[in-house]
Amino acid sequence: MVKSTMNRQSSLARLLNTAVSKKISPSNGDIQWCFSQVKGTLDDDVTDADIISCVEFNHDGDLLATGDKGGRVVIFQRDPASKSSVPKRGEYNVYSTFQSHEPEFDYLKSLEIEEKINKIRWLKRKNQSHFLLSTNDKTIKLWKVSERDKKIEGYNTPCDPHSITSLKVPVVKPMELMVEASPRRIFANAHTYHINSISINSDQETYLSADDLRINLWHLEITDQSFNIVDIKPTNMEELTEVITAAEFHPLECNLFVYSSSKGTIRLCDMRQSALCDRHSKIFEEPEDITNRSFFSEIISSISDVKISNSGRYMISRDYLALKVWDLHMDSKPIESYPVHEYLRQKMCSLYENDCIFDKFECCWSGDDSAIMTGSYNNFFRMFDRVNKRDATLEASREIAKPKTVLKPRKVFTGGKRKKDEISVDCLDFNKKILHTAWHPTENIIAVAATNNLFLFQDKL
């Protein structure tokens, strides 16, 4: 049943045709990235449920959460010794593991709802506990993660109250540290289609959730009501021409949010203008390059992820072949464009046949917005230094799984005379793909999800 649901999604896509004080310059040696840790089982033991489906640092970078296709959330905590050491090290240990979602069945539509975690978003910390939102295709949950290292003993609780001869004063005694994860809110039954995005507002009181055709606004304290702020569903579904692919709140302005579509457009909306934001304030769209027009143009122009910079001034969007930087003040064209794997343009037919052309790659900013990162195939991931205009292709591989091993830039051979360290396009493994990446908010530490393994890299000081 799960497979049939996925096939329907794939057919729908076919129907639509659709941080940091130092600058990152890994290609010239100013900063070299080195291996720190790898989490996860060996490739021989991998099951579909173990495949990581999202990665997210919290706001201070001390915690790192991953979600997988089995509905589990694993939280890693920064090792205190690695944080205080000189130089600092980016080492994390397992802090808490819990089952966030279970498989469900929609009896009205006769569809099985997967337990796969689509997104995780952290709330800013306000007390000793941590809070995060996690979602699968239909249900969003607010989780509280707290520590308990003390217990109370000595209650006056006998079966017969008349048997009490003396009053005991309860005492607090130390116990082994226990990390508890408990669901505080469950937000359900608000989406007809699969949820692809959740984003917490800067006010830390509201958040949005987006599916293929609608975006809803929630209050974190109210579970039985949400407001529909975007609805692109046509009256006649046969007239459907695009779907929503990602949505995110502005990090500073609580009234602004953006959402991207399968047509390669990004819309900026202002909730002050109207309750229903069907009319955008700005639309960001790059003029089509007629010279590269092909049967696959509409599919590869679909935007799989959009992220606003930490400063709130810029925005990056990821389509199938490129990563683009937009100035929120200029919607006519991107101010920067970085090809991620342009060499795949010649392999579009085979990528279409094996469904890889529908892969949804995410992207992320460095803490100071000077660099951006996204994934590719063969466990490659790409980093772009916006200041020095340099880029590097690096690989997440267990072959370099030794602390402080420096990552060597990888190059893909596309023609001419092949060099020693280059890998041919025909030798790329399309089953190994980096879809999910995350960047520490203040340091040069990155997390890269490679199938069922989580790789952690840091700059070599």
Side-chain angles (χ1 to χ4, degrees):
M1 189 65 70
V2 173
K3 189 172 182 181
S4 65
T5 304
M6 295 174 67
N7 289 339
R8 269 191 284 272
Q9 285 180 289
S10 184
S11 62
L12 174 63
R14 287 195 181 91
L15 179 66
L16 295 172
N17 280 335
T18 58
V20 190
S21 58
K22 299 180 291 298
K23 304 307 180 187
I24 298 185
S25 310
S27 56
N28 75 339
D30 290 353
I31 283 188
Q32 291 180 307
W33 289 92
C34 66
F35 172 83
S36 179
Q37 287 176 298
V38 60
K39 308 286 185 180
T41 57
L42 295 173
D43 293 339
D44 296 340
D45 305 325
V46 63
T47 63
D48 192 58
D50 295 327
I51 296 175
I52 297 173
S53 54
C54 56
V55 183
E56 188 79 7
F57 280 102
N58 73 338
H59 291 275
D60 60 13
D62 282 348
L63 296 179
L64 172 64
T66 65
D68 63 26
K69 288 189 174 182
R72 295 180 296 267
V73 171
V74 181
I75 301 176
F76 300 91
Q77 184 181 47
R78 180 86 175 267
D79 183 82
S82 76
K83 189 176 180 181
S84 59
S85 65
V86 180
K88 291 182 178 181
R89 303 190 310 274
E91 296 176 1
Y92 287 75
N93 301 316
V94 174
Y95 180 64
S96 176
T97 302
F98 58 92
Q99 188 72 30
S100 175
H101 287 72
E102 301 280 356
E104 300 174 45
F105 191 80
D106 186 336
Y107 293 96
L108 292 176
K109 296 183 178 179
S110 296
L111 289 176
E112 190 169 346
I113 302 170
E114 294 181 280
E115 64 269 36
K116 172 191 170 188
I117 308 297
N118 292 339
K119 295 289 179 182
I120 290 174
R121 291 291 181 263
W122 290 92
L123 277 74
K124 288 184 179 179
R125 193 175 185 183
K126 295 180 179 179
N127 51 42
Q128 291 298 315
S129 301
H130 300 274
F131 291 87
L132 61 87
L133 286 173
S134 64
T135 184
N136 66 348
D137 285 340
K138 297 292 182 182
T139 305
I140 306 160
K141 296 184 180 182
L142 173 66
W143 290 90
K144 177 184 179 181
V145 182
S146 55
E147 295 181 356
R148 191 152 59 93
D149 59 359
K150 294 180 177 65
K151 60 182 178 180
I152 300 175
E153 292 183 353
Y155 288 105
N156 293 276
T157 54
C159 296
D160 182 10
H162 298 290
S163 64
I164 298 177
T165 57
S166 63
L167 184 64
K168 293 181 181 179
V169 178
V171 294
V172 178
K173 290 188 176 181
M175 60 175 281
E176 186 178 349
L177 178 66
M178 180 183 297
V179 181
E180 298 176 321
S182 56
R184 307 299 289 177
R185 306 272 190 279
I186 297 178
F187 309 87
N189 305 319
H191 285 278
T192 305
Y193 307 97
H194 294 172
I195 299 171
N196 56 49
S197 303
I198 51 175
S199 179
I200 298 170
N201 203 345
S202 57
D203 61 15
Q204 294 292 299
E205 293 182 356
T206 57
Y207 74 93
L208 64 77
S209 59
D211 64 25
D212 290 344
L213 299 178
R214 294 188 178 99
I215 300 177
N216 292 332
L217 179 67
W218 299 83
H219 193 285
L220 285 164
E221 299 293 329
I222 303 172
T223 60
D224 60 351
Q225 186 179 31
S226 64
F227 296 96
N228 180 222
I229 53 175
V230 172
D231 187 348
I232 65 169
K233 183 179 180 180
T235 306
N236 182 1
M237 283 295 282
E238 292 182 358
E239 299 173 1
L240 181 66
T241 58
E242 65 178 329
V243 295
I244 297 168
T245 56
E248 185 179 64
F249 266 121
H250 191 282
L252 304 175
E253 305 291 338
C254 64
N255 54 288
L256 299 177
F257 68 94
V258 296
Y259 69 92
S260 57
S261 85
S262 57
K263 274 195 168 182
T265 61
I266 305 168
R267 291 173 173 86
L268 174 69
C269 298
D270 190 339
M271 292 191 293
R272 295 173 301 185
Q273 292 181 343
S274 64
L276 189 63
C277 300
D278 283 351
R279 294 185 178 180
H280 51 267
S281 299
K282 288 183 181 179
I283 182 167
F284 300 84
E285 185 175 16
E286 186 176 25
E288 183 181 3
D289 184 1
I290 301 177
T291 58
N292 284 328
R293 178 74 184 170
S294 71
F295 170 77
F296 306 104
S297 294
E298 290 187 21
I299 303 176
I300 63 176
S301 66
S302 174
I303 295 174
S304 57
D305 195 19
V306 58
K307 294 281 174 60
I308 300 177
S309 65
N310 299 291
S311 67
R313 174 65 187 270
Y314 303 101
M315 173 176 63
I316 50 174
S317 64
R318 172 69 204 267
D319 58 37
Y320 191 69
L321 292 178
L323 193 59
K324 296 168 184 174
V325 181
W326 303 80
D327 187 330
L328 289 183
H329 296 174
M330 185 179 78
D331 55 4
S332 58
K333 62 180 181 179
I335 58 172
E336 300 164 27
S337 185
Y338 302 98
V340 176
H341 38 216
E342 186 64 25
Y343 45 80
L344 294 183
R345 195 178 289 274
Q346 59 183 310
K347 300 182 72 66
M348 286 297 161
C349 289
S350 58
L351 291 168
Y352 180 81
E353 291 170 0
N354 63 18
D355 275 354
C356 283
I357 201 169
F358 301 108
D359 285 334
K360 300 182 184 302
F361 292 94
E362 296 177 3
C363 53
C364 62
W365 290 90
S366 64
D368 67 349
D369 300 339
S370 67
I372 50 182
M373 174 173 61
T374 191
S376 182
Y377 294 103
N378 207 69
N379 280 358
F380 289 168
F381 58 100
R382 300 272 283 143
M383 309 188 78
F384 302 94
D385 178 358
R386 300 179 55 229
V387 177
N388 298 317
K389 303 302 179 185
R390 295 189 176 93
D391 65 273
T393 301
L394 304 174
E395 182 181 8
S397 168
R398 277 190 174 269
E399 294 178 2
I400 50 92
K402 185 178 178 182
K404 298 183 179 180
T405 301
V406 177
L407 273 63
K408 295 180 180 179
R410 302 301 306 270
K411 291 186 178 180
V412 178
F413 170 73
T414 55
K417 189 175 181 181
R418 182 176 175 183
K419 296 181 181 178
K420 180 182 178 182
D421 296 332
E422 292 182 336
I423 180 172
S424 171
V425 178
D426 298 324
C427 296
L428 295 175
D429 188 343
F430 292 100
N431 292 317
K432 294 181 178 180
K433 56 193 79 172
I434 304 293
L435 300 177
H436 316 287
T437 59
W439 203 306
H440 191 285
T442 58
E443 298 180 38
N444 277 331
I445 300 171
I446 55 175
V448 174
T451 315
N452 62 311
N453 292 314
L454 178 68
F455 286 85
L456 289 162
F457 304 104
Q458 67 178 83
D459 58 334
K460 186 177 186 298
L461 299 178

